[in-house]
Amino acid sequence: MNMSLFTIDQKKCRRDGMCAKECPAQIIVLADKDTFPTLMENGEESCINCGHCVAVCPHGAFTLNTMPLAECPGIQHNLLPEAAQIRELLMARRSIRLYKNRIVAHDLLEDLINTARYAPTGSNKQQVQWIVLENPADVNLLASMVIDWARLILPLMPDESMVMKMKRRITAWDEGIDLMLRGAPHLIVVHSQADLPSAEADCVIALSSLELYAYAKGLGTCWAGYLTVAANSHEPLAQALGLPKGHKCFGAMMLGYPQYKYTRIPKRNTPLVTWRP
Ligand SMILES: Cc1cc2nc3c(=O)[nH]c(=O)nc-3n(C[C@H](O)[C@H](O)[C@H](O)COP(=O)(O)O)c2cc1C
């Protein structure tokens, strides 16, 4: 049976209704147990192309026309980590500010992004865009532009402690020490159209996912907060980054091989939780 949006393999379909129940837009109809799933009238307009119908079907009977089954691999359950492993990873991950003088292979950078693209996005819009600086000299140039921006905003900063922090970074830079991008060999930037409803959350979640996978791959990362602010307010930096017009930088991350291994998990504050039993 060929629908405009999906195809049902009638030999495989058991008419269990899982696809219809799972669909977030509720556009798959299974009238009764003797019929096959069909598309609701005008259902195409509500489909967010999330592929849950394909992902949930245990019989391989459901194909979305945008998603050939060959491009939707089966989950390798034996590869999924135990909860204890994920917990340890989440607690052991650190911000890395000391990097080895070694570049990360292009294939590995590609692997990081290809994995992070599976992070959730609002309405499955998948509008996160990436800029990857592969050349350490370019990262250094951007760090110098963050310093240019810091020198410009220094007289405008109202908070004395922020002024002190910024002055320290500028003085260090003048002495040959990079406290902005920490001499990282690479920088990964996420950006999206500024006015999309979930653009910021989508970008931050994607970069957070990348950070965790990078850690598991033996890499170190550190969020580049100053660069993120500067990218959205200092035009020469936005241009050097190649941010498209109307786009905003929602996060940036230094990346490279860490100089040191950490042996302990530092203490964190007790969470501020309102329990509502
Ligand atoms: C949004 C954000 C921006 C950050 N910006 C910077 C930065 O510009 N420079 C830096 O050295 N660390 C930066 N950090 C790292 C934090 O200082 C770090 O996460 C915090 O001290 C906790 O350390 P941990 O990540 O090792 O647990 C940033 C972290 C976040 C989440």
Side-chain angles (χ1 to χ4, degrees):
M1 192 183 298
N2 207 339
M3 306 284 168
S4 53
L5 203 62
F6 56 78
T7 310
I8 304 292
D9 184 333
Q10 295 193 0
K11 285 196 203 85
K12 293 182 178 165
C13 179
R14 307 266 175 90
R15 297 179 248 194
D16 50 33
M18 286 161 81
C19 51
K21 283 192 204 133
E22 175 69 19
C23 175
Q26 289 290 290
I27 54 172
I28 303 171
V29 183
L30 199 69
D32 56 65
K33 62 178 174 41
D34 298 322
T35 58
F36 289 100
T38 54
L39 180 66
M40 196 175 120
E41 202 179 343
N42 300 323
E44 299 93 335
E45 289 154 29
S46 304
C47 177
I48 60 168
N49 204 35
C50 67
H52 276 224
C53 42
V54 177
V56 78
C57 178
H59 322 297
F62 201 108
T63 306
L64 259 183
N65 294 350
T66 54
M67 258 180 232
L69 272 189
E71 290 172 38
C72 304
I75 296 171
Q76 300 183 64
H77 292 277
N78 60 320
L79 287 186
L80 290 175
E82 301 281 340
Q85 293 171 316
I86 300 220
R87 184 169 192 268
E88 202 65 14
L89 178 130
L90 293 176
M91 294 193 304
R93 175 220 55 85
R94 295 274 71 77
S95 294
I96 299 303
R97 301 187 180 86
L98 294 166
Y99 295 94
K100 282 187 181 156
N101 191 10
R102 174 184 168 195
I103 63 159
V104 178
H106 177 84
D107 285 359
L108 180 47
L109 293 171
E110 229 177 81
D111 181 26
L112 297 179
I113 290 170
N114 268 329
T115 305
R117 77 194 161 97
Y118 286 88
T121 57
S123 299
N124 192 37
K125 286 269 196 302
Q126 303 177 65
Q127 296 191 94
V128 177
Q129 295 190 32
W130 307 82
I131 298 168
V132 183
L133 279 98
E134 297 198 76
N135 185 344
D138 291 341
V139 180
N140 189 253
L141 178 68
L142 289 187
S144 78
M145 298 178 98
V146 182
I147 293 288
D148 293 344
W149 161 80
R151 290 189 214 273
L152 285 173
I153 61 149
L154 205 56
L156 312 171
M157 290 176 80
D159 180 343
E160 196 49 41
S161 77
M162 279 301 290
V163 170
M164 290 294 293
K165 273 191 182 171
M166 214 51 123
K167 274 187 177 162
R168 271 196 54 228
R169 282 174 164 76
I170 295 170
T171 308
W173 180 265
D174 292 338
E175 291 167 357
I177 301 160
D178 173 11
L179 295 183
M180 284 300 185
L181 298 179
R182 311 275 174 176
H186 304 289
L187 187 81
I188 300 189
V189 174
V190 278
H191 63 97
S192 192
Q193 210 177 294
D195 55 5
L196 290 176
S198 64
E200 180 162 16
D202 295 350
C203 284
V204 172
I205 294 167
L207 202 50
S208 289
S209 301
L210 184 142
E211 174 175 37
L212 295 170
Y213 183 48
Y215 177 76
K217 283 284 199 180
L219 294 165
T221 58
C222 184
W223 288 81
Y226 288 108
L227 178 131
T228 304
V229 176
N232 294 317
S233 50
H234 187 49
E235 192 49 34
L237 179 55
Q239 280 199 11
L241 260 179
L243 268 187
K245 268 232 159 327
H247 276 224
K248 201 171 164 187
C249 166
F250 288 114
M253 199 162 266
M254 308 158 215
L255 181 103
Y257 286 96
Q259 234 176 66
Y260 300 129
K261 253 203 163 90
Y262 294 79
T263 51
R264 278 182 193 278
I265 293 160
K267 188 169 182 263
R268 291 289 181 256
N269 295 343
T270 320
L272 303 171
V273 186
T274 306
W275 296 104
R276 302 286 299 269

